[in-house]
Amino acid sequence: MLNKWINKKYLQPEQFKQEFLNNKPYPHLEFKNFLKEEKAMEVLKSLAQEKFIEKEADLFKFMQTNDLGSTKNRVVKEFVQFLYSKEFIDYMQKLTGFKFQNKVDVAGTLYQNTDYLLCHDDELEGRKIAFLFYFSDFEENEGGSLNLFDSKKGKPVKVVKKIVPKFNKLAFFEVSPISFHEVEEVIADKQRIAIGGWFYDK
Amino acid sequence: MINKIYLEKIEEIKKSLNSNPDFPSTQLNNFLVDYSDFKKKVEQLRYKKDVDVLHHKLSKAEINIPELKEWLSKILGKKITHTNFTAHLLEWRDYLIMNDDYEEKPGIDVIFDLTKDWNSKGGGQIIYVDGTGEYYAIPISENSLTIVERKKGVQKFFKYLNNLAKNNKRFFLVLNIF
């Protein structure tokens, strides 16, 4: 299963564990070209057929699919089954050193010009790792980056790390009371497409 | 200073304020007669950037408008002893979101808007929510005074100003009465 989806250079998760744990401002990692190119392309094409619903509140404005666990699309379903698989959950456990439940939340997100998600910590009962598979290429000056904040006395202070969306990049971070992050406003006329979700603490 | 019509129509304004039981409110347009001078004064205040990432990012200043004391006392049916408004200046990427640490007690907000020809797609609206999914967005209208009664559980936020508001400034004053 892992061989079918993941690029060869990432097949030994243990070798990335220390980097993940040591990264500042809190444990996180980004892998460029994580999926096999043809698989990433297939998922992107199929994701475009999913229905995205507008979400808007004080904290955010973007579009999102329903949980992809119930998708009817064959390719998206295969990808979600891969994320749900014992092999991939075990892979993420080795990579992070955490233990996860079999439950994984997965949804597609679409940010367009003026869309944003302001700073928050993602904390919700049991969430342990937040992850994002990017399917769009952005430059830093086009917005849409995942910004990580450092913190002081449990409050976010300033952005110290920017993860710029690139096609076929996987980014993930530990969810904790200080995992403050935002999605910077998209300021270009292009679409930022991703599949993201959470792994849950066992 | 106050438009004569609003000095004379106290009872009508009180009635209008109570016409929406969910979000008691009323907006009075062309509120000030000497508006241009007042606008200059507000724009020239010394604004200071105020940031708490999890709640707000905006600029503030203080301005007292004692001329409103008597009129507001009549409208609200209680003695108003202070009229120290907080002047807000919002620019691209500014916002105020809801946060339990900043929960507002029930009361009355008096809002004076000084923003001209605003593109509503740029954000910046003052929006009241009651926690059940109901909301009330105050129309952005220059030289308008809006009175909103915040019932228990009603909170407000200032919608994030996106890049369509780039190079524009949004000014409004808020007085909280408890």
Side-chain angles (χ1 to χ4, degrees), chain A residues 155-157, chain B residues 46-62 86-97 102 158 176:
Chain A
K155 286 196 157 197
V157 180
Chain B
R46 286 192 168 190
Y47 288 88
K48 196 177 167 191
K49 198 81 184 178
D50 189 6
V51 181
D52 177 343
V53 178
L54 293 178
H55 181 247
H56 63 265
K57 181 165 140 349
L58 41 80
S59 301
K60 283 181 182 176
E62 295 295 322
T86 302
H88 293 75
L89 162 58
L90 272 64
E91 298 168 283
W92 183 27
R93 292 183 167 138
D94 285 352
Y95 59 87
L96 182 143
I97 57 179
Y102 288 86
F158 306 155
N176 300 122

PDB file of all heavy atoms in Angstrom, chain A residues 155-157, chain B residues 46-62 86-97 102 158 176:
ATOM      1  N   LYS A 155       0.111  32.288  24.541  1.00  0.00           N
ATOM      2  CA  LYS A 155      -0.574  33.133  23.549  1.00  0.00           C
ATOM      3  C   LYS A 155       0.306  33.320  22.315  1.00  0.00           C
ATOM      4  O   LYS A 155       1.523  33.472  22.453  1.00  0.00           O
ATOM      5  CB  LYS A 155      -0.907  34.495  24.146  1.00  0.00           C
ATOM      6  CG  LYS A 155      -2.049  34.455  25.132  1.00  0.00           C
ATOM      7  CD  LYS A 155      -2.576  35.859  25.381  1.00  0.00           C
ATOM      8  CE  LYS A 155      -3.995  35.808  25.887  1.00  0.00           C
ATOM      9  NZ  LYS A 155      -4.702  37.072  25.774  1.00  0.00           N
ATOM     10  N   PRO A 156      -0.301  33.342  21.118  1.00  0.00           N
ATOM     11  CA  PRO A 156       0.507  33.528  19.909  1.00  0.00           C
ATOM     12  C   PRO A 156       1.120  34.920  19.856  1.00  0.00           C
ATOM     13  O   PRO A 156       0.479  35.891  20.276  1.00  0.00           O
ATOM     14  CB  PRO A 156      -0.516  33.356  18.783  1.00  0.00           C
ATOM     15  CG  PRO A 156      -1.832  33.672  19.399  1.00  0.00           C
ATOM     16  CD  PRO A 156      -1.740  33.266  20.841  1.00  0.00           C
ATOM     17  N   VAL A 157       2.361  34.987  19.362  1.00  0.00           N
ATOM     18  CA  VAL A 157       3.037  36.286  19.291  1.00  0.00           C
ATOM     19  C   VAL A 157       3.222  36.711  17.832  1.00  0.00           C
ATOM     20  O   VAL A 157       2.645  37.693  17.394  1.00  0.00           O
ATOM     21  CB  VAL A 157       4.395  36.236  20.017  1.00  0.00           C
ATOM     22  CG1 VAL A 157       5.092  37.599  19.947  1.00  0.00           C
ATOM     23  CG2 VAL A 157       4.206  35.831  21.484  1.00  0.00           C
TER      24      VAL A 157
ATOM     25  N   ARG B  46      -4.967  60.480  17.360  1.00  0.00           N
ATOM     26  CA  ARG B  46      -3.734  59.676  17.400  1.00  0.00           C
ATOM     27  C   ARG B  46      -4.089  58.216  17.625  1.00  0.00           C
ATOM     28  O   ARG B  46      -4.331  57.794  18.752  1.00  0.00           O
ATOM     29  CB  ARG B  46      -2.831  60.164  18.533  1.00  0.00           C
ATOM     30  CG  ARG B  46      -2.159  61.457  18.229  1.00  0.00           C
ATOM     31  CD  ARG B  46      -1.101  61.709  19.242  1.00  0.00           C
ATOM     32  NE  ARG B  46      -0.242  62.803  18.823  1.00  0.00           N
ATOM     33  CZ  ARG B  46       0.882  63.120  19.419  1.00  0.00           C
ATOM     34  NH1 ARG B  46       1.286  62.415  20.447  1.00  0.00           N
ATOM     35  NH2 ARG B  46       1.604  64.137  19.000  1.00  0.00           N
ATOM     36  N   TYR B  47      -4.121  57.467  16.543  1.00  0.00           N
ATOM     37  CA  TYR B  47      -4.499  56.053  16.634  1.00  0.00           C
ATOM     38  C   TYR B  47      -3.294  55.201  17.027  1.00  0.00           C
ATOM     39  O   TYR B  47      -2.171  55.464  16.581  1.00  0.00           O
ATOM     40  CB  TYR B  47      -5.056  55.572  15.295  1.00  0.00           C
ATOM     41  CG  TYR B  47      -6.427  56.141  15.011  1.00  0.00           C
ATOM     42  CD1 TYR B  47      -6.577  57.363  14.367  1.00  0.00           C
ATOM     43  CD2 TYR B  47      -7.575  55.480  15.436  1.00  0.00           C
ATOM     44  CE1 TYR B  47      -7.823  57.913  14.128  1.00  0.00           C
ATOM     45  CE2 TYR B  47      -8.831  56.016  15.197  1.00  0.00           C
ATOM     46  CZ  TYR B  47      -8.947  57.231  14.546  1.00  0.00           C
ATOM     47  OH  TYR B  47     -10.185  57.766  14.324  1.00  0.00           O
ATOM     48  N   LYS B  48      -3.565  54.206  17.840  1.00  0.00           N
ATOM     49  CA  LYS B  48      -2.502  53.309  18.275  1.00  0.00           C
ATOM     50  C   LYS B  48      -2.883  51.877  17.892  1.00  0.00           C
ATOM     51  O   LYS B  48      -4.015  51.454  18.160  1.00  0.00           O
ATOM     52  CB  LYS B  48      -2.344  53.426  19.792  1.00  0.00           C
ATOM     53  CG  LYS B  48      -1.057  52.867  20.317  1.00  0.00           C
ATOM     54  CD  LYS B  48      -0.958  53.086  21.813  1.00  0.00           C
ATOM     55  CE  LYS B  48       0.182  52.232  22.367  1.00  0.00           C
ATOM     56  NZ  LYS B  48       0.176  52.189  23.813  1.00  0.00           N
ATOM     57  N   LYS B  49      -1.952  51.170  17.266  1.00  0.00           N
ATOM     58  CA  LYS B  49      -2.241  49.787  16.862  1.00  0.00           C
ATOM     59  C   LYS B  49      -2.399  48.912  18.099  1.00  0.00           C
ATOM     60  O   LYS B  49      -1.615  49.012  19.042  1.00  0.00           O
ATOM     61  CB  LYS B  49      -1.091  49.249  15.991  1.00  0.00           C
ATOM     62  CG  LYS B  49      -1.475  48.037  15.182  1.00  0.00           C
ATOM     63  CD  LYS B  49      -2.224  48.430  13.923  1.00  0.00           C
ATOM     64  CE  LYS B  49      -2.709  47.256  13.121  1.00  0.00           C
ATOM     65  NZ  LYS B  49      -3.460  47.644  11.931  1.00  0.00           N
ATOM     66  N   ASP B  50      -3.421  48.096  18.096  1.00  0.00           N
ATOM     67  CA  ASP B  50      -3.714  47.226  19.234  1.00  0.00           C
ATOM     68  C   ASP B  50      -3.883  45.803  18.684  1.00  0.00           C
ATOM     69  O   ASP B  50      -4.736  45.575  17.825  1.00  0.00           O
ATOM     70  CB  ASP B  50      -4.997  47.715  19.912  1.00  0.00           C
ATOM     71  CG  ASP B  50      -5.254  47.011  21.225  1.00  0.00           C
ATOM     72  OD1 ASP B  50      -4.390  46.239  21.666  1.00  0.00           O
ATOM     73  OD2 ASP B  50      -6.334  47.228  21.815  1.00  0.00           O
ATOM     74  N   VAL B  51      -3.047  44.878  19.157  1.00  0.00           N
ATOM     75  CA  VAL B  51      -3.096  43.506  18.619  1.00  0.00           C
ATOM     76  C   VAL B  51      -3.136  42.467  19.738  1.00  0.00           C
ATOM     77  O   VAL B  51      -2.298  42.477  20.635  1.00  0.00           O
ATOM     78  CB  VAL B  51      -1.858  43.203  17.726  1.00  0.00           C
ATOM     79  CG1 VAL B  51      -1.947  41.790  17.149  1.00  0.00           C
ATOM     80  CG2 VAL B  51      -1.722  44.223  16.606  1.00  0.00           C
ATOM     81  N   ASP B  52      -4.143  41.622  19.701  1.00  0.00           N
ATOM     82  CA  ASP B  52      -4.140  40.361  20.440  1.00  0.00           C
ATOM     83  C   ASP B  52      -4.563  39.342  19.383  1.00  0.00           C
ATOM     84  O   ASP B  52      -5.750  39.272  19.019  1.00  0.00           O
ATOM     85  CB  ASP B  52      -5.128  40.400  21.618  1.00  0.00           C
ATOM     86  CG  ASP B  52      -5.190  39.060  22.341  1.00  0.00           C
ATOM     87  OD1 ASP B  52      -4.737  38.046  21.757  1.00  0.00           O
ATOM     88  OD2 ASP B  52      -5.693  39.005  23.466  1.00  0.00           O
ATOM     89  N   VAL B  53      -3.594  38.606  18.855  1.00  0.00           N
ATOM     90  CA  VAL B  53      -3.806  37.786  17.653  1.00  0.00           C
ATOM     91  C   VAL B  53      -5.097  36.960  17.710  1.00  0.00           C
ATOM     92  O   VAL B  53      -5.795  36.816  16.717  1.00  0.00           O
ATOM     93  CB  VAL B  53      -2.589  36.858  17.414  1.00  0.00           C
ATOM     94  CG1 VAL B  53      -2.820  35.974  16.200  1.00  0.00           C
ATOM     95  CG2 VAL B  53      -1.328  37.676  17.238  1.00  0.00           C
ATOM     96  N   LEU B  54      -5.433  36.445  18.898  1.00  0.00           N
ATOM     97  CA  LEU B  54      -6.610  35.572  19.009  1.00  0.00           C
ATOM     98  C   LEU B  54      -7.921  36.350  19.146  1.00  0.00           C
ATOM     99  O   LEU B  54      -8.986  35.751  19.272  1.00  0.00           O
ATOM    100  CB  LEU B  54      -6.461  34.627  20.203  1.00  0.00           C
ATOM    101  CG  LEU B  54      -5.360  33.584  20.082  1.00  0.00           C
ATOM    102  CD1 LEU B  54      -5.271  32.752  21.345  1.00  0.00           C
ATOM    103  CD2 LEU B  54      -5.581  32.675  18.876  1.00  0.00           C
ATOM    104  N   HIS B  55      -7.845  37.667  19.134  1.00  0.00           N
ATOM    105  CA  HIS B  55      -9.079  38.448  19.253  1.00  0.00           C
ATOM    106  C   HIS B  55      -9.161  39.621  18.284  1.00  0.00           C
ATOM    107  O   HIS B  55     -10.175  39.788  17.603  1.00  0.00           O
ATOM    108  CB  HIS B  55      -9.231  38.958  20.694  1.00  0.00           C
ATOM    109  CG  HIS B  55     -10.481  39.739  20.914  1.00  0.00           C
ATOM    110  ND1 HIS B  55     -10.485  41.087  21.195  1.00  0.00           N
ATOM    111  CD2 HIS B  55     -11.785  39.365  20.864  1.00  0.00           C
ATOM    112  CE1 HIS B  55     -11.729  41.499  21.333  1.00  0.00           C
ATOM    113  NE2 HIS B  55     -12.540  40.487  21.131  1.00  0.00           N
ATOM    114  N   HIS B  56      -8.118  40.415  18.203  1.00  0.00           N
ATOM    115  CA  HIS B  56      -8.237  41.608  17.347  1.00  0.00           C
ATOM    116  C   HIS B  56      -6.894  42.091  16.830  1.00  0.00           C
ATOM    117  O   HIS B  56      -5.850  41.810  17.406  1.00  0.00           O
ATOM    118  CB  HIS B  56      -8.933  42.741  18.101  1.00  0.00           C
ATOM    119  CG  HIS B  56      -8.155  43.205  19.310  1.00  0.00           C
ATOM    120  ND1 HIS B  56      -8.392  42.733  20.566  1.00  0.00           N
ATOM    121  CD2 HIS B  56      -7.134  44.084  19.432  1.00  0.00           C
ATOM    122  CE1 HIS B  56      -7.560  43.299  21.424  1.00  0.00           C
ATOM    123  NE2 HIS B  56      -6.778  44.128  20.755  1.00  0.00           N
ATOM    124  N   LYS B  57      -7.004  42.843  15.744  1.00  0.00           N
ATOM    125  CA  LYS B  57      -5.866  43.584  15.193  1.00  0.00           C
ATOM    126  C   LYS B  57      -6.488  44.816  14.569  1.00  0.00           C
ATOM    127  O   LYS B  57      -7.249  44.710  13.584  1.00  0.00           O
ATOM    128  CB  LYS B  57      -5.137  42.745  14.144  1.00  0.00           C
ATOM    129  CG  LYS B  57      -3.922  43.410  13.527  1.00  0.00           C
ATOM    130  CD  LYS B  57      -3.112  42.345  12.822  1.00  0.00           C
ATOM    131  CE  LYS B  57      -2.509  42.664  11.514  1.00  0.00           C
ATOM    132  NZ  LYS B  57      -2.795  43.799  10.740  1.00  0.00           N
ATOM    133  N   LEU B  58      -6.287  45.967  15.182  1.00  0.00           N
ATOM    134  CA  LEU B  58      -6.886  47.211  14.687  1.00  0.00           C
ATOM    135  C   LEU B  58      -6.223  48.388  15.390  1.00  0.00           C
ATOM    136  O   LEU B  58      -5.391  48.187  16.272  1.00  0.00           O
ATOM    137  CB  LEU B  58      -8.406  47.213  14.936  1.00  0.00           C
ATOM    138  CG  LEU B  58      -8.932  46.673  16.265  1.00  0.00           C
ATOM    139  CD1 LEU B  58      -8.798  47.680  17.364  1.00  0.00           C
ATOM    140  CD2 LEU B  58     -10.398  46.279  16.125  1.00  0.00           C
ATOM    141  N   SER B  59      -6.591  49.603  14.996  1.00  0.00           N
ATOM    142  CA  SER B  59      -6.040  50.793  15.651  1.00  0.00           C
ATOM    143  C   SER B  59      -7.156  51.526  16.377  1.00  0.00           C
ATOM    144  O   SER B  59      -8.297  51.557  15.906  1.00  0.00           O
ATOM    145  CB  SER B  59      -5.409  51.718  14.614  1.00  0.00           C
ATOM    146  OG  SER B  59      -4.385  51.027  13.940  1.00  0.00           O
ATOM    147  N   LYS B  60      -6.792  52.093  17.527  1.00  0.00           N
ATOM    148  CA  LYS B  60      -7.804  52.725  18.374  1.00  0.00           C
ATOM    149  C   LYS B  60      -7.363  54.100  18.855  1.00  0.00           C
ATOM    150  O   LYS B  60      -6.162  54.377  18.954  1.00  0.00           O
ATOM    151  CB  LYS B  60      -8.013  51.879  19.639  1.00  0.00           C
ATOM    152  CG  LYS B  60      -8.846  50.635  19.472  1.00  0.00           C
ATOM    153  CD  LYS B  60      -8.938  49.986  20.834  1.00  0.00           C
ATOM    154  CE  LYS B  60      -9.703  48.695  20.821  1.00  0.00           C
ATOM    155  NZ  LYS B  60      -9.693  48.058  22.141  1.00  0.00           N
ATOM    156  N   ALA B  61      -8.344  54.918  19.212  1.00  0.00           N
ATOM    157  CA  ALA B  61      -8.099  56.202  19.877  1.00  0.00           C
ATOM    158  C   ALA B  61      -9.353  56.505  20.709  1.00  0.00           C
ATOM    159  O   ALA B  61     -10.345  55.773  20.616  1.00  0.00           O
ATOM    160  CB  ALA B  61      -7.846  57.299  18.848  1.00  0.00           C
ATOM    161  N   GLU B  62      -9.298  57.521  21.505  1.00  0.00           N
ATOM    162  CA  GLU B  62     -10.462  57.882  22.328  1.00  0.00           C
ATOM    163  C   GLU B  62     -10.979  59.249  21.898  1.00  0.00           C
ATOM    164  O   GLU B  62     -10.205  60.130  21.534  1.00  0.00           O
ATOM    165  CB  GLU B  62     -10.072  57.949  23.813  1.00  0.00           C
ATOM    166  CG  GLU B  62      -9.647  56.616  24.405  1.00  0.00           C
ATOM    167  CD  GLU B  62     -10.771  55.592  24.440  1.00  0.00           C
ATOM    168  OE1 GLU B  62     -11.926  55.992  24.718  1.00  0.00           O
ATOM    169  OE2 GLU B  62     -10.491  54.407  24.168  1.00  0.00           O
ATOM    170  N   THR B  86     -14.784  54.934  21.701  1.00  0.00           N
ATOM    171  CA  THR B  86     -13.530  54.412  21.164  1.00  0.00           C
ATOM    172  C   THR B  86     -13.582  54.551  19.650  1.00  0.00           C
ATOM    173  O   THR B  86     -14.496  54.023  19.000  1.00  0.00           O
ATOM    174  CB  THR B  86     -13.334  52.925  21.535  1.00  0.00           C
ATOM    175  OG1 THR B  86     -13.372  52.812  22.960  1.00  0.00           O
ATOM    176  CG2 THR B  86     -12.015  52.399  21.029  1.00  0.00           C
ATOM    177  N   ALA B  87     -12.614  55.306  19.128  1.00  0.00           N
ATOM    178  CA  ALA B  87     -12.536  55.453  17.666  1.00  0.00           C
ATOM    179  C   ALA B  87     -11.747  54.270  17.114  1.00  0.00           C
ATOM    180  O   ALA B  87     -10.676  53.940  17.638  1.00  0.00           O
ATOM    181  CB  ALA B  87     -11.842  56.762  17.319  1.00  0.00           C
ATOM    182  N   HIS B  88     -12.283  53.617  16.096  1.00  0.00           N
ATOM    183  CA  HIS B  88     -11.617  52.472  15.477  1.00  0.00           C
ATOM    184  C   HIS B  88     -11.157  52.831  14.068  1.00  0.00           C
ATOM    185  O   HIS B  88     -11.927  53.437  13.306  1.00  0.00           O
ATOM    186  CB  HIS B  88     -12.579  51.280  15.360  1.00  0.00           C
ATOM    187  CG  HIS B  88     -12.986  50.699  16.672  1.00  0.00           C
ATOM    188  ND1 HIS B  88     -13.890  51.310  17.519  1.00  0.00           N
ATOM    189  CD2 HIS B  88     -12.619  49.556  17.292  1.00  0.00           C
ATOM    190  CE1 HIS B  88     -14.063  50.552  18.595  1.00  0.00           C
ATOM    191  NE2 HIS B  88     -13.313  49.491  18.484  1.00  0.00           N
ATOM    192  N   LEU B  89      -9.947  52.442  13.762  1.00  0.00           N
ATOM    193  CA  LEU B  89      -9.428  52.585  12.405  1.00  0.00           C
ATOM    194  C   LEU B  89      -9.049  51.181  11.931  1.00  0.00           C
ATOM    195  O   LEU B  89      -8.187  50.535  12.528  1.00  0.00           O
ATOM    196  CB  LEU B  89      -8.199  53.503  12.396  1.00  0.00           C
ATOM    197  CG  LEU B  89      -7.280  53.427  11.165  1.00  0.00           C
ATOM    198  CD1 LEU B  89      -8.038  53.725   9.886  1.00  0.00           C
ATOM    199  CD2 LEU B  89      -6.113  54.395  11.304  1.00  0.00           C
ATOM    200  N   LEU B  90      -9.726  50.714  10.886  1.00  0.00           N
ATOM    201  CA  LEU B  90      -9.449  49.376  10.358  1.00  0.00           C
ATOM    202  C   LEU B  90      -8.872  49.478   8.952  1.00  0.00           C
ATOM    203  O   LEU B  90      -9.386  50.233   8.113  1.00  0.00           O
ATOM    204  CB  LEU B  90     -10.734  48.532  10.310  1.00  0.00           C
ATOM    205  CG  LEU B  90     -11.089  47.727  11.574  1.00  0.00           C
ATOM    206  CD1 LEU B  90     -11.363  48.654  12.738  1.00  0.00           C
ATOM    207  CD2 LEU B  90     -12.308  46.864  11.322  1.00  0.00           C
ATOM    208  N   GLU B  91      -7.807  48.714   8.740  1.00  0.00           N
ATOM    209  CA  GLU B  91      -7.158  48.672   7.428  1.00  0.00           C
ATOM    210  C   GLU B  91      -7.014  47.216   6.989  1.00  0.00           C
ATOM    211  O   GLU B  91      -7.369  46.305   7.738  1.00  0.00           O
ATOM    212  CB  GLU B  91      -5.769  49.317   7.516  1.00  0.00           C
ATOM    213  CG  GLU B  91      -5.825  50.784   7.917  1.00  0.00           C
ATOM    214  CD  GLU B  91      -4.464  51.342   8.291  1.00  0.00           C
ATOM    215  OE1 GLU B  91      -3.987  51.060   9.398  1.00  0.00           O
ATOM    216  OE2 GLU B  91      -3.891  52.052   7.461  1.00  0.00           O
ATOM    217  N   TRP B  92      -6.458  47.036   5.801  1.00  0.00           N
ATOM    218  CA  TRP B  92      -6.262  45.678   5.272  1.00  0.00           C
ATOM    219  C   TRP B  92      -5.627  44.772   6.336  1.00  0.00           C
ATOM    220  O   TRP B  92      -4.653  45.139   6.966  1.00  0.00           O
ATOM    221  CB  TRP B  92      -5.372  45.742   4.022  1.00  0.00           C
ATOM    222  CG  TRP B  92      -5.166  44.415   3.347  1.00  0.00           C
ATOM    223  CD1 TRP B  92      -5.994  43.344   3.371  1.00  0.00           C
ATOM    224  CD2 TRP B  92      -4.047  44.042   2.534  1.00  0.00           C
ATOM    225  NE1 TRP B  92      -5.476  42.322   2.625  1.00  0.00           N
ATOM    226  CE2 TRP B  92      -4.280  42.709   2.101  1.00  0.00           C
ATOM    227  CE3 TRP B  92      -2.886  44.701   2.129  1.00  0.00           C
ATOM    228  CZ2 TRP B  92      -3.384  42.035   1.284  1.00  0.00           C
ATOM    229  CZ3 TRP B  92      -1.999  44.025   1.309  1.00  0.00           C
ATOM    230  CH2 TRP B  92      -2.247  42.702   0.897  1.00  0.00           C
ATOM    231  N   ARG B  93      -6.212  43.591   6.519  1.00  0.00           N
ATOM    232  CA  ARG B  93      -5.762  42.535   7.436  1.00  0.00           C
ATOM    233  C   ARG B  93      -6.152  42.779   8.889  1.00  0.00           C
ATOM    234  O   ARG B  93      -5.700  42.061   9.775  1.00  0.00           O
ATOM    235  CB  ARG B  93      -4.247  42.281   7.318  1.00  0.00           C
ATOM    236  CG  ARG B  93      -3.898  41.670   5.972  1.00  0.00           C
ATOM    237  CD  ARG B  93      -2.423  41.347   5.838  1.00  0.00           C
ATOM    238  NE  ARG B  93      -2.202  40.500   4.670  1.00  0.00           N
ATOM    239  CZ  ARG B  93      -1.202  40.642   3.820  1.00  0.00           C
ATOM    240  NH1 ARG B  93      -0.304  41.580   3.998  1.00  0.00           N
ATOM    241  NH2 ARG B  93      -1.073  39.833   2.789  1.00  0.00           N
ATOM    242  N   ASP B  94      -6.950  43.819   9.149  1.00  0.00           N
ATOM    243  CA  ASP B  94      -7.443  44.037  10.515  1.00  0.00           C
ATOM    244  C   ASP B  94      -8.713  43.220  10.737  1.00  0.00           C
ATOM    245  O   ASP B  94      -9.418  42.857   9.782  1.00  0.00           O
ATOM    246  CB  ASP B  94      -7.728  45.520  10.754  1.00  0.00           C
ATOM    247  CG  ASP B  94      -6.448  46.325  10.926  1.00  0.00           C
ATOM    248  OD1 ASP B  94      -5.373  45.700  11.008  1.00  0.00           O
ATOM    249  OD2 ASP B  94      -6.533  47.561  10.988  1.00  0.00           O
ATOM    250  N   TYR B  95      -9.035  42.979  12.003  1.00  0.00           N
ATOM    251  CA  TYR B  95     -10.219  42.177  12.345  1.00  0.00           C
ATOM    252  C   TYR B  95     -10.493  42.252  13.834  1.00  0.00           C
ATOM    253  O   TYR B  95      -9.634  42.697  14.624  1.00  0.00           O
ATOM    254  CB  TYR B  95     -10.006  40.698  11.964  1.00  0.00           C
ATOM    255  CG  TYR B  95      -8.805  40.063  12.659  1.00  0.00           C
ATOM    256  CD1 TYR B  95      -8.916  39.472  13.917  1.00  0.00           C
ATOM    257  CD2 TYR B  95      -7.544  40.093  12.067  1.00  0.00           C
ATOM    258  CE1 TYR B  95      -7.809  38.913  14.565  1.00  0.00           C
ATOM    259  CE2 TYR B  95      -6.443  39.544  12.696  1.00  0.00           C
ATOM    260  CZ  TYR B  95      -6.576  38.956  13.947  1.00  0.00           C
ATOM    261  OH  TYR B  95      -5.484  38.424  14.583  1.00  0.00           O
ATOM    262  N   LEU B  96     -11.668  41.806  14.207  1.00  0.00           N
ATOM    263  CA  LEU B  96     -11.988  41.523  15.612  1.00  0.00           C
ATOM    264  C   LEU B  96     -12.875  40.290  15.583  1.00  0.00           C
ATOM    265  O   LEU B  96     -13.908  40.276  14.906  1.00  0.00           O
ATOM    266  CB  LEU B  96     -12.704  42.705  16.271  1.00  0.00           C
ATOM    267  CG  LEU B  96     -13.042  42.525  17.755  1.00  0.00           C
ATOM    268  CD1 LEU B  96     -12.867  43.844  18.510  1.00  0.00           C
ATOM    269  CD2 LEU B  96     -14.463  42.023  17.955  1.00  0.00           C
ATOM    270  N   ILE B  97     -12.406  39.226  16.236  1.00  0.00           N
ATOM    271  CA  ILE B  97     -13.191  37.993  16.247  1.00  0.00           C
ATOM    272  C   ILE B  97     -13.704  37.720  17.660  1.00  0.00           C
ATOM    273  O   ILE B  97     -13.288  38.389  18.617  1.00  0.00           O
ATOM    274  CB  ILE B  97     -12.379  36.780  15.713  1.00  0.00           C
ATOM    275  CG1 ILE B  97     -11.100  36.593  16.515  1.00  0.00           C
ATOM    276  CG2 ILE B  97     -12.089  36.950  14.244  1.00  0.00           C
ATOM    277  CD1 ILE B  97     -10.270  35.398  16.067  1.00  0.00           C
ATOM    278  N   TYR B 102     -12.886  37.706  25.961  1.00  0.00           N
ATOM    279  CA  TYR B 102     -13.358  39.084  25.746  1.00  0.00           C
ATOM    280  C   TYR B 102     -14.884  39.148  25.709  1.00  0.00           C
ATOM    281  O   TYR B 102     -15.441  40.060  25.105  1.00  0.00           O
ATOM    282  CB  TYR B 102     -12.827  39.625  24.419  1.00  0.00           C
ATOM    283  CG  TYR B 102     -11.343  39.926  24.415  1.00  0.00           C
ATOM    284  CD1 TYR B 102     -10.409  38.937  24.139  1.00  0.00           C
ATOM    285  CD2 TYR B 102     -10.869  41.210  24.666  1.00  0.00           C
ATOM    286  CE1 TYR B 102      -9.048  39.204  24.116  1.00  0.00           C
ATOM    287  CE2 TYR B 102      -9.515  41.495  24.638  1.00  0.00           C
ATOM    288  CZ  TYR B 102      -8.609  40.486  24.367  1.00  0.00           C
ATOM    289  OH  TYR B 102      -7.260  40.769  24.328  1.00  0.00           O
ATOM    290  N   PHE B 158     -15.843  42.139  13.992  1.00  0.00           N
ATOM    291  CA  PHE B 158     -15.581  43.000  12.837  1.00  0.00           C
ATOM    292  C   PHE B 158     -14.962  42.091  11.771  1.00  0.00           C
ATOM    293  O   PHE B 158     -13.882  41.523  11.991  1.00  0.00           O
ATOM    294  CB  PHE B 158     -14.586  44.121  13.163  1.00  0.00           C
ATOM    295  CG  PHE B 158     -14.952  44.976  14.351  1.00  0.00           C
ATOM    296  CD1 PHE B 158     -13.960  45.651  15.074  1.00  0.00           C
ATOM    297  CD2 PHE B 158     -16.277  45.133  14.758  1.00  0.00           C
ATOM    298  CE1 PHE B 158     -14.284  46.449  16.162  1.00  0.00           C
ATOM    299  CE2 PHE B 158     -16.609  45.933  15.852  1.00  0.00           C
ATOM    300  CZ  PHE B 158     -15.609  46.579  16.556  1.00  0.00           C
ATOM    301  N   ASN B 176     -19.855  51.805  24.513  1.00  0.00           N
ATOM    302  CA  ASN B 176     -20.549  50.707  25.207  1.00  0.00           C
ATOM    303  C   ASN B 176     -21.233  51.268  26.444  1.00  0.00           C
ATOM    304  O   ASN B 176     -20.615  51.952  27.243  1.00  0.00           O
ATOM    305  CB  ASN B 176     -19.575  49.615  25.664  1.00  0.00           C
ATOM    306  CG  ASN B 176     -18.831  48.987  24.502  1.00  0.00           C
ATOM    307  OD1 ASN B 176     -17.613  49.007  24.459  1.00  0.00           O
ATOM    308  ND2 ASN B 176     -19.554  48.427  23.554  1.00  0.00           N
TER     309      ASN B 176
END
